[in-house]
Amino acid sequence: MTASPQLAVEAAGLVRHFTSGKKTTKAVDGVDLSIPTGSVYGLLGPNGAGKTTVVRMLATLLRPDAGTAKVLGHDVVAEADAVRAAVGLTGQYASVDEDLTGTENLLMLARLYGFRGPAARRRVDDLLAAFGLTDAGGRQVKTYSGGMRRRIDLAASLVLSPRVLFLDEPTTGLDPRSRNQVWDIVRVLVEDGATVLLTTQYLEEADQLADRIGVIDHGRLIAEGTSSELKHSVGQGAVALRLADASRRAEAAGIVHRVLGTEPTLPTDPYALTARVPDDGTHHVAHVLPALGEAGIEVPEFSLGQPSLDEVFLTLTGRPLPEDDQGSDEPAMEQEMSR
């Protein structure tokens, strides 16, 4: 594979298996990636789809069983040290020491990375200020809120200002305010020239941040493109309904399915319902409200717009993207980390 100066990450045919007892699972099954420098690439899929395994292979924490990958032109196997010197990684769980203060965690990392004396302190102060943690720097990390922990974790991964940053589900479990803070940080990093590979199971997150999105399911990349391209690929539009009575949503979904011929998506809002409009079904949209009215189902809000990423995932996989999936694509991880 010939490295391209315009690509920060290149991968071809990545494969990774995990073995637990007599069972072997193919967590990643032939993934190809081409991520331009200075962009955000979103890898979208439920837990168990292979997202974390892809990131760990690119970050040199796991050796691919097959295929090749380069980060900034460096092979992740043959030139692992060069890759590690240029990338940062923030995983799904906090990697800092909870018994140390935020300042102590960052100082320790700064010194490990070669900062000395006042230079180390200046770097730590700059990071604490950038992430809004100056006042909390003297407190133990175990006293931090979930959003503060994610921010100190991100700060730790940026001590050396990496050119490529891997963010593995960085906002999982955060409240909306903390999630928006992380999104703002990602945008600033990209404005400063970093390349970000973001894994997420949140459709809105991919929509908000990613220049391009790859949809991964069962270890395979099943679709790729901009948010608009992916949405357009599944149909001409989507209808969004808000019902007066949440208890009748299942009944409403059945009626919408019958009229449009597509399987509706049920968001977490119990009053909401969306459905994709197929290319040959636009003329049926006008019949949705009358059909619901005949059944006595009140619809205070109705809109027609572009399909959401929910519809994209449902169309591609035959099932909606779960909101809270606690599975893992890396069984027996502790046994597989040896290189």
Side-chain angles (χ1 to χ4, degrees):
M1 195 168 48
T2 302
S4 169
Q6 288 80 36
L7 294 177
V9 176
E10 300 174 85
L14 283 183
V15 174
R16 176 69 194 196
H17 300 86
F18 290 102
T19 301
S20 178
K22 295 182 179 180
K23 182 180 179 182
T24 297
T25 302
K26 184 178 283 187
V28 174
D29 187 10
V31 166
D32 300 334
L33 291 174
S34 296
I35 303 176
T37 300
S39 66
V40 178
Y41 186 92
L43 198 57
L44 173 68
N47 280 338
K51 304 186 305 294
T52 295
T53 304
V54 169
V55 165
R56 289 184 173 273
M57 286 191 285
L58 294 174
T60 76
L61 296 179
L62 289 173
R63 186 186 296 270
D65 291 326
T68 57
K70 290 184 178 181
V71 177
L72 298 172
H74 300 293
D75 187 277
V76 297
V77 175
E79 302 171 276
D81 288 343
V83 173
R84 292 174 189 141
V87 306
L89 169 64
T90 296
Q92 296 178 25
Y93 306 100
S95 60
V96 293
D97 189 326
E98 294 193 344
D99 290 325
L100 298 180
T101 67
T103 297
E104 289 169 341
N105 269 288
L106 297 182
L107 273 175
M108 176 179 64
L109 289 171
R111 288 166 180 160
L112 287 172
Y113 282 129
F115 289 89
R116 293 292 178 263
R121 187 70 200 207
R122 282 196 301 272
R123 182 58 180 159
V124 170
D125 289 344
D126 288 346
L127 286 168
L128 290 174
F131 285 85
L133 293 170
T134 299
D135 292 341
R139 289 166 42 195
Q140 289 179 299
V141 171
K142 64 185 177 183
T143 69
Y144 285 12
S145 67
M148 293 168 68
R149 291 185 186 211
R150 294 310 286 161
R151 280 184 277 155
I152 195 69
D153 221 21
L154 281 167
S157 68
L158 296 173
V159 170
L160 272 185
S161 299
R163 294 165 60 193
V164 176
L165 182 61
F166 299 115
L167 301 180
D168 191 17
E169 299 194 18
T171 63
T172 296
L174 296 188
D175 59 82
R177 180 174 178 273
S178 297
R179 185 176 297 175
N180 285 329
Q181 289 175 334
V182 173
W183 290 358
D184 289 340
I185 291 166
V186 172
R187 293 184 182 107
V188 170
L189 293 173
V190 176
E191 287 176 3
D192 289 340
T195 302
V196 176
L197 170 57
L198 169 81
T199 76
T200 183
Q201 55 180 315
Y202 295 121
L203 298 149
E204 183 186 8
E205 188 159 78
D207 223 355
Q208 285 280 337
L209 294 177
D211 299 300
R212 291 185 66 79
I213 299 169
V215 181
I216 189 170
D217 191 41
H218 293 103
R220 289 183 173 273
L221 204 62
I222 58 176
E224 187 179 37
T226 66
S227 177
S228 295
E229 288 170 346
L230 290 174
K231 292 173 182 177
H232 184 72
S233 71
V234 304
Q236 292 294 319
V239 294
L241 312 175
R242 184 165 182 82
L243 308 177
D245 184 354
S247 68
R248 303 195 68 181
R249 184 166 74 162
E251 183 183 355
I255 293 171
V256 172
H257 185 196
R258 173 171 53 81
V259 173
L260 294 180
T262 58
E263 187 69 35
T265 300
L266 306 180
T268 53
D269 181 352
Y271 294 89
L273 172 69
T274 63
R276 180 176 58 88
V277 179
D279 290 341
D280 60 352
T282 53
H283 59 287
H284 293 307
V285 173
H287 300 295
V288 171
L289 285 179
L292 292 169
E294 288 177 7
I297 298 175
E298 294 183 40
V299 183
E301 297 179 23
F302 177 91
S303 63
L304 175 65
Q306 194 178 41
S308 69
L309 288 178
D310 293 87
E311 278 82 40
V312 172
F313 195 85
L314 176 62
T315 301
L316 293 171
T317 67
R319 67 184 190 281
L321 184 63
E323 292 280 342
D324 296 296
D325 189 342
Q326 301 301 314
S328 171
D329 56 73
E330 295 189 350
M333 171 59 72
E334 68 280 0
Q335 300 174 17
E336 298 289 343
M337 288 295 291
S338 59
R339 296 180 60 83

